[in-house]
Amino acid sequence: MPLIVEPDGRGPYAHPGPGYDFHERTVSRHLVHRASVSEVFLTGWQATGPYDFLLGAQWPRLHGFYRVPGDRYHDPVLMAETVRQAGLLIGHAGFGVPHGHHFVMDDLGYALGPDGLRGLAVTTEPASLMLDVGCEDVRMRHGRLVSLRVHVEMSRDGRTIGHGSGQLRVITPASYARLRGPGPRYATPLHPPTPAAPELVGRAEPTDVVLSPTLRPDSWLLRTDAGHPVLFDHALDHVPGMLVLEAARQAAQRLRHPEPVLPVELVTSFERYIELDRPCLVRAVREPVPHGRQPDGRRVPVRVLLIQDGLTAADCRLVTEPLGSPLDGPVDGPLDTPLGGTPARRDAQTGRPATPDHGNTGLPLAS
């Protein structure tokens, strides 16, 4: 397996020394498929085994888009974007996937740790994280990476704040062109319809609302504003995966309005590309409490489907928790309870030991 190497004008290095600072600077934006440096959250990495890596990440004290009402906590959805970036970086730097190749994700998810929102408390400094990443179901063909699953344990000040998982596949430029069809792929997006009222979906600005109301209280049209500086950080020929997660979060918030809630667990399976030039319907419904879990009025499971051309394009399952829950206690400084061991790798939604799903034959959403 290729060594992890950071592209650096001062010369590459493979094994950071004892004084290496995992949070000194961001990694190359190209390694995480971002155009804006400000949207890069990974800050360092090191290979710790054939399929294991240690990554640094940092979240700003206040992000322009991923933010929580009251600004007391970091947005949990940042965990999903951090897992996404971790998978891309490891694909490029750890397994040598060439630039220009496409990554597609079959699924992406996260779950907060036992501290709940306390682990995401905004303090007087940016949130510096360490990511313990393990790769499973690694498939190679002719020395090239074909697919893998990443499991990520996130810690802050030595304490686990949560975990995430994502299944990625690699597609060559030629295969991607065949997959997406001949001719220009950058279709003109539909004009974004009128947004829902921001306060109904947990947003402050209409430009950040990704749902448009319909005649049904549990259904909306997806708003794909290709000019959004974060959700459309760079040109795409399809709806980006993080827009899907944002639609699920806003739909879940709308179901629980006026109570402000946050998605403490979220897992999404991507079935096919969502095209920019055709309407996409977003439907949400409260789900019964999963088998084996005790009913809890604070934690409400929600399922959100994104449907285009009559077919399910993405299936999102969330667990929402009120912003003012009992775990919503103030934290004035670094988390000071020592980490009591690394949890087993588990599914971000069910908490059960994770097992790769080889049965998904649908077309995934590109990352």
Side-chain angles (χ1 to χ4, degrees):
M1 183 187 114
L3 294 175
I4 270 195
V5 176
E6 179 171 3
D8 186 339
R10 295 174 295 178
Y13 59 87
H15 297 288
Y20 176 61
D21 185 350
F22 276 90
H23 303 103
E24 180 181 4
R25 55 182 174 171
T26 59
V27 304
S28 169
R29 57 192 173 91
H30 303 292
L31 293 177
V32 296
H33 297 192
R34 282 290 175 243
S36 175
V37 174
S38 65
E39 297 306 317
V40 178
F41 300 133
L42 300 186
T43 54
W45 68 86
Q46 182 179 17
T48 58
Y51 300 120
D52 296 292
F53 303 87
L54 190 62
L55 279 60
Q58 190 175 85
W59 298 337
R61 292 174 60 190
L62 184 63
H63 190 274
F65 177 73
Y66 293 112
R67 57 191 298 183
V68 170
D71 295 327
R72 296 176 59 200
Y73 302 98
H74 294 283
D75 187 346
V77 181
L78 279 169
M79 296 176 65
E81 172 61 14
T82 304
V83 171
R84 187 197 74 87
Q85 292 190 16
L88 298 179
L89 183 144
I90 287 172
H92 284 305
F95 291 90
V97 174
H99 293 294
H101 283 49
H102 297 264
F103 287 81
V104 296
M105 302 198 73
D106 290 315
D107 57 70
L108 176 64
Y110 69 84
L112 291 188
D115 280 335
L117 296 177
R118 289 188 72 251
L120 302 185
V122 173
T123 66
T124 57
E125 297 179 351
S128 294
L129 311 176
M130 293 302 299
L131 279 55
D132 188 356
V133 185
C135 302
E136 295 183 354
D137 191 29
V138 178
R139 297 183 179 183
M140 309 288 291
R141 182 181 298 130
H142 306 303
R144 295 279 185 156
L145 179 68
V146 174
S147 65
L148 59 77
R149 173 172 289 280
V150 294
H151 295 278
V152 181
E153 298 290 339
M154 296 188 188
S155 62
R156 179 184 181 191
D157 298 317
R159 182 165 185 165
T160 297
I161 64 169
H163 57 271
S165 177
Q167 177 80 23
L168 296 89
R169 287 189 281 148
V170 181
I171 298 181
T172 65
S175 296
Y176 188 78
R178 290 193 297 269
L179 188 66
R180 297 295 282 146
R185 294 195 301 272
Y186 293 91
T188 301
L190 293 175
H191 181 73
T194 303
E199 63 272 13
L200 298 180
V201 295
R203 283 293 176 182
E205 301 295 335
T207 53
D208 291 335
V209 175
V210 301
L211 301 179
S212 179
T214 68
L215 296 178
R216 293 186 51 169
D218 61 350
S219 300
W220 306 266
L221 286 176
L222 182 69
R223 299 186 73 244
T224 53
D225 180 4
H228 195 279
V230 175
L231 294 173
F232 285 86
D233 167 76
H234 55 283
L236 292 167
D237 66 347
H238 58 272
V239 170
M242 292 305 296
L243 174 53
V244 172
L245 270 63
E246 181 61 27
R249 179 249 287 283
Q250 292 188 18
Q253 173 61 73
R254 181 65 186 92
L255 287 187
R256 297 195 65 177
H257 180 77
E259 182 178 43
V261 296
L262 293 177
V264 296
E265 300 181 27
L266 195 164
V267 64
T268 298
S269 60
F270 303 107
E271 305 296 335
R272 62 192 70 251
Y273 294 102
I274 300 177
E275 305 298 343
L276 294 169
D277 57 353
R278 299 201 293 276
C280 179
L281 192 65
V282 181
R283 289 180 178 169
V285 61
R286 295 193 186 200
E287 287 199 303
V289 176
H291 179 71
R293 290 190 180 184
Q294 295 296 321
D296 183 345
R298 298 180 306 109
R299 299 170 66 89
V300 177
V302 178
R303 185 180 186 187
V304 180
L305 297 177
L306 280 79
I307 302 167
Q308 190 173 64
D309 300 330
L311 300 173
T312 298
D315 188 341
C316 310
R317 284 181 164 85
L318 309 86
V319 175
T320 58
E321 183 172 298
L323 186 56
S325 70
L327 290 180
D328 181 13
V331 177
D332 297 324
L335 304 176
D336 52 10
T337 304
L339 176 64
T342 302
R345 293 171 185 160
R346 296 181 179 275
D347 184 272
Q349 178 69 18
T350 66
R352 295 190 294 269
T355 55
D357 178 11
H358 305 297
N360 180 9
T361 57
L363 182 63
L365 183 76
S367 62

